Amino acid sequence: MNLPLFNNDEDPEISMSPLIDCVFLLLIFFLVSTMTKVKNRDINVNLPTSEAATKLKPDDKQAIVGLDTEGNFYWDGQPCTTNFLMEQLRTVCITQPERRIRIDMDKDTPFGRLVQVMDACQFYNLSNIGIRTYDENYNRTQ
């Protein structure tokens, strides 16, 4: 005996709204998870301007050395001592000698502090060094 499960007059329908809800939830999840991955390593400084600066793509793998107006040191956005900074540069020299190092310094920072950082980089044979300058697109106030 053959029992029909569906009326032949009606085709079965699949509701799309749960599928759309699931896709939106996945989209939100991936957006939120990628945004938490970005670590803010910038310090609040008044950057110098340059007419001849070379624009490089942002790089999350670069080390960032910061110098504020008082000449205090920062490593990846966190305040640090001179000894800690030298130890970090030594570690970079040993593990990743080609790693890019970006120096973020206030335009009113005492020049001797920049020379101190540059001398330490030269001592550890770190040559991939750059000084961040003001960029109208990147440093736009929000």
Side-chain angles (χ1 to χ4, degrees), residues 121-139:
C121 291
Q122 183 181 13
F123 178 77
Y124 291 118
N125 293 323
L126 299 171
S127 58
N128 194 0
I129 303 167
I131 298 174
R132 181 173 158 212
T133 57
Y134 181 80
D135 181 10
E136 191 172 295
N137 294 326
Y138 185 81
N139 299 104

Side-chain angles (χ1 to χ4, degrees), residues 41-42 62-65 100-104 130 132 138:
R41 302 180 303 170
D42 295 341
Q62 68 187 353
I64 300 175
V65 176
R100 187 180 344 159
I101 296 175
R102 185 182 85 193
I103 300 174
D104 292 357
R132 181 173 158 212
Y138 185 81

